[in-house]
Each structure stands twice: as structure tokens, then as C-alpha cells.
Amino acid sequence: MDKPKVVLGVSGGIAAYKAAELLRRFTETGHDVRVVPTASALHFVGAATWSALSGNPVSTEVWDDVHEVPHVRLGQHADLVVVAPATADLLARAAHGLADDLLTNTLLTARCPVVLAPAMHTEMWEHPATQENVATLRRRGAVVIEPAVGRLTGADTGKGRFPDPVEIFEVCRRVLARGVSEPDLAGRHVVVSAGGTREPLDPVRFLGNRSSGKQGYALARTAAARGARVTLVSANAALPDPAGVDVIAVGTAVELREAVRRVAADADAVVMAAAVADFRPAVYAGGKIKKKDGEEPAPLALVRNPDILAELAAHRARPGQVVVGFAAETDDVLANGRAKLARKGCDLLVVNEVGERKTFGSEQNEAVVLAADGGETPVPYGPKEALAETVWDLVAERLG
């Protein structure tokens, strides 16, 4: 079989050296990669490095190997074009259709999916010109990954950091797997909750659950690859931030409720994949609860946590907002799931059977997605990203 053909564009930012790791991920997973750096990028990483790592010649100008018409052929034959890093200058030239080097020519001729991973200082990213250019590119079908928040060049910190190359690769892999050039969630804002809440008993103990957050993170990554602006509300998940996703860390059910309600105000869809504790201790002990010889511990009094999913469904922040819930069941799975769907009032409910060796912490999942209109969509045992794709397919249908 032919290897998937990837064009890796590299523009002139300090993060260019990190693109070498992204290139390695592509080549080690069987992709045929042509690296197209800008002239400025070669000030950071030389052509010899790109050629050695990709196994292919490297060009920056349309005048190289003119008989092969590279400025047309590269874009025409590619299965994916990814630009990482994409500087403010590159985004501006791409948005305005300029074609003054081989990379911008390739972007104009590409009829395959295009992914851009911006990296720049916060002020440059937030400038209205850059934001308008990003909006233009997204409107035309490009997947523009939101930059990460963190240390920038020098002592500066803020939004604009190049995302983890491993996470950029995951976005690209999902885009390639879908094989469509128009991301169906482009222009949409989606909120995903993930992980498991922890309800403190005292400074060292808490009530919690076995959720790892992997399904919620798969939902966030998949939505980003389908062009959505994604906000991930993460409860105690020890996982790397997905590329292009804004992450809000929370601990308790009350904190998760406040965060989700705040960011859902302008969301087109909210997917509640987090395992939220139904109860919390009625009293928090300010000091560690000590055991006393010859005495049994006092009974633990619990109070109910707010029903976040039911609240979201009953009081939608905007007309047409799609609300999706998750139900982890141990017995009478579908019967309990249907009852929960009716009780919560959400549009879709993902129902799966859980246990010590099922779902929690695993890379695999199996579920049935129940719909308020009576539909049932079974998802066979497989990677959690496959379930994520099915959920977003059903959400996209309802968003029209």
C-alpha cells in the first residue's frame, strides 16, 4: 500500500526545532513526509536535518527542481498538509492567499486537509489581525490548533506556546483517519468534562472514583481534530493537555459545576464525560481524622452534590445547545440507562458497563449511545477515540 503523503511546513519561529519530533512521529508510523521550510525556518534548523530525518529532499523555493513543478505537485498529491510551527507572518500570508515561496504555494494548491499549529508571543496571537486571519483560515476549512499556555521565548509566559508535538501528531492522525477536507465542527465551541471528582474528608483523604479521564480526553482531541474550539474541564486527570484545547483544572463536583456552567454560556454542545461524585461529606475535618484505640470511627454523614447534567439540560445556555451525558452502570445497563436519559433530560446518553477491570483506566471502551428521540447506536469494543468519533457524529447531526 502507498504510504500516506504528508507535507510538513515549517515557518520561522524558535519552535521550529520541536517540529523535528513531529517529523519523527510521522516517519516512524509509516508516513511519507516532505518537509517544506520557509527561508526563515532554515535559520533555526538547517535543510540537512530535515532531509536526513525525512529521507526526502528539502526545498524552500519554487525555482528548485522546476521540471517537477513542485509548487503545484506537492499540494496536489498530499493527503495532509501540516504547518508546525505556524508564525503570525505565515498565518497572514496563508489567509490572504499570498504565494511568495514554496510553502504558501503548496497551501494554495492543497485539496487535502490542512492543519496549522501556531506558535508566537501572546501579544502577537491576541492581536486582532492574527485573530481575523485565524478566523478566515478556519472558515475556509483549515484546522487551526489553539496554541498552548506556558513559557515562551525568554522570561515571558502566556498563550502562544507550541503544543506538545506528540499531541499535534494525535490531531493530525485523527484528521488523516477521517479523510475529509472540511472539518464538520468548524466554528463550533464544545465543552467536555473529564476525569473524576474528589470530595475531601480531611486534608489527606477524599471520596473519589476510578475514572482516569481517558474517554473525556479522547473526546476533546477528536473534537479539536474536527475543527471545534474545545474547552476541557478536567477533574484530577493525570494526562497531558491535548493540543489545541483550553484546559480548566478542577477538583470537586462543586468546582466542576461552576467551571462548566461558566464556559457553557456560549457552547454549541456540552459533553459530560466526567465521573461526578453523587455525594460529598457533610462536614470537612480541618485536621487529619485520627483513629483511636478501642473506638470505632464515627459514621460518615453525606450530602448530595448538585446534578450538573440535569441542570445543564433543563437550563440550556443557548437555543439548540446539545447536551450529552455518560452513565456508568454495573447491572441492568440499558434499562438503567433509559431511565437516566428520561430523568436527566439530555439529548444523548452514553451508557457503558463498568467494573474493576472494565472501562476505567483502559484504552478501550464499549457502549450504547441512547438518544432522546428513541435511537440507539451501539459502539463495539475498541479504542476510546472510536466512541468519541461516534459521539461527535451524533452531535454534529443535531447541530445541523
Side-chain angles (χ1 to χ4, degrees), residues 9 14 51 66 79 119 121 135 148 155 168 171 181 216 229 242 245-246 258 270-271 288 297 313 363 393:
I14 187 63
S51 182
V66 174
D79 297 302
H121 262 64
I168 296 175
V171 171
S181 58
R229 177 167 67 91
V245 173
D246 290 325
E258 292 173 352
V270 182
V271 180
K288 180 182 176 182
E363 302 295 336
D393 287 344

Side-chain angles (χ1 to χ4, degrees), residues 187-202:
R188 302 291 191 178
H189 176 211
V190 302
V191 174
V192 179
S193 71
T197 62
R198 295 176 179 178
E199 310 303 322
L201 292 165
D202 62 24

Side-chain angles (χ1 to χ4, degrees), residues 177-188:
R178 284 181 55 77
V180 294
S181 58
E182 292 294 330
D184 58 352
L185 294 178
R188 302 291 191 178

